[in-house]
Amino acid sequence: MDSRGWLDEAVARISHAGQLQPARREFLRRSLTLGGLSMLTGCTLVDEDSMETVLSRVSRMNDKVQAWLFDPHRLAPTYPESMITRPFPFNAYYSEDEVREVEESGYRLEVTGLVADKRKWTLAELRAMPQIDQVTRHICVEGWSAIGKWGGVSFERFLRQVGADLSAKYVGFKCADDYFTSIDMATALHPQTVLALSYDGQPLPPKYGFPMKLRMPTKLGYKNPKHIQAIFVTNTYPGGYWEDQGYNWFGGS
């Protein structure tokens, strides 16, 4: 099969691949280019396994390009409160009537891995730390966006507080709704990356991730975990809920 045939076949297979999420089909369809496929010599798109091999290589290439383009000092746009989207959309891998309820009284944030202070944190302790807020845009991989106001603790400040190894490669998150994801350390230290405890000036509602979510305007929505119960710092690649199903790991710029 020639190069043009490879590209046409890849686009056709993605468009009709029933086992892929619609958003992922469109994301990967847009990602495929003749130049990208030409670098994947040795792959023939004759079955689902070979197709997944091509898609995985394209995804890894996208991750490397996004990481190379990321500027840890460049800020995402901020907006006036008059532009906040009300109501802010609910988004998760489940429906809104399945939102997890976490009891504040028993909540403890577990911190493990390459950190000096591995103790657990209460919400009161987190709220006692200096708070920041931002009005930024949430961008979903499914094609919609919304502007919201998030408040909480600078994640860089928190990582320094617990004595995290800031030279480590990854920071991972485990959540009460069984979601999990991970980010690069450069994004973790970005000045707009926030452990969000409030939304629009009020305690974070359950549908937006109570008791805490990670808010990163430099990442797509699926990289912003909600209902966080555990944070760990590691040099071992942790993957993620959607990332393990084929979504790009870096997920931002």
Side-chain angles (χ1 to χ4, degrees), residues 5 31 72:
S31 298

Side-chain angles (χ1 to χ4, degrees), residues 82-146:
S82 61
M83 293 183 67
I84 292 174
T85 303
R86 294 189 172 92
F88 191 88
F90 169 79
N91 64 295
Y93 71 95
Y94 45 82
S95 61
E96 190 170 346
D97 60 4
E98 297 177 296
V99 168
R100 306 308 195 267
E101 297 286 345
V102 179
E103 291 294 332
E104 177 172 346
S105 60
Y107 176 76
R108 299 292 185 273
L109 174 66
E110 181 181 272
V111 182
T112 60
L114 302 176
V115 299
D117 183 359
K118 293 182 171 64
R119 71 181 180 88
K120 296 181 179 181
W121 289 68
T122 65
L123 275 178
E125 290 172 321
L126 292 167
R127 289 168 178 161
M129 292 186 68
Q131 305 287 297
I132 60 175
D133 58 52
Q134 59 178 253
V135 180
T136 51
R137 185 180 298 276
H138 171 105
I139 300 176
C140 182
V141 72
E142 294 178 344
W144 58 268
S145 68

Side-chain angles (χ1 to χ4, degrees), residues 1-36:
M1 186 180 292
D2 61 23
S3 296
R4 174 54 61 182
W6 281 21
L7 180 59
D8 292 344
E9 177 71 7
V11 171
R13 284 179 179 268
I14 290 173
S15 298
H16 295 93
Q19 78 277 15
L20 298 179
Q21 293 284 337
R24 184 189 173 204
R25 287 202 303 269
E26 180 61 19
F27 179 75
L28 292 172
R29 186 188 67 78
R30 291 197 304 265
S31 298
L32 288 175
T33 65
L34 185 58

Side-chain angles (χ1 to χ4, degrees), residues 173-216:
F173 305 87
K174 299 177 182 178
C175 308
D177 58 359
D178 299 322
Y179 195 77
F180 63 102
T181 191
S182 55
I183 61 173
D184 57 295
M185 182 59 77
T187 300
L189 299 177
H190 188 275
Q192 290 175 306
T193 299
V194 177
L195 289 176
L197 303 170
S198 68
Y199 178 76
D200 202 9
Q202 300 297 319
L204 195 65
K207 67 178 181 179
Y208 297 153
F210 182 87
M212 180 175 66
K213 74 167 288 173
L214 189 69
R215 174 61 191 146
M216 299 174 289

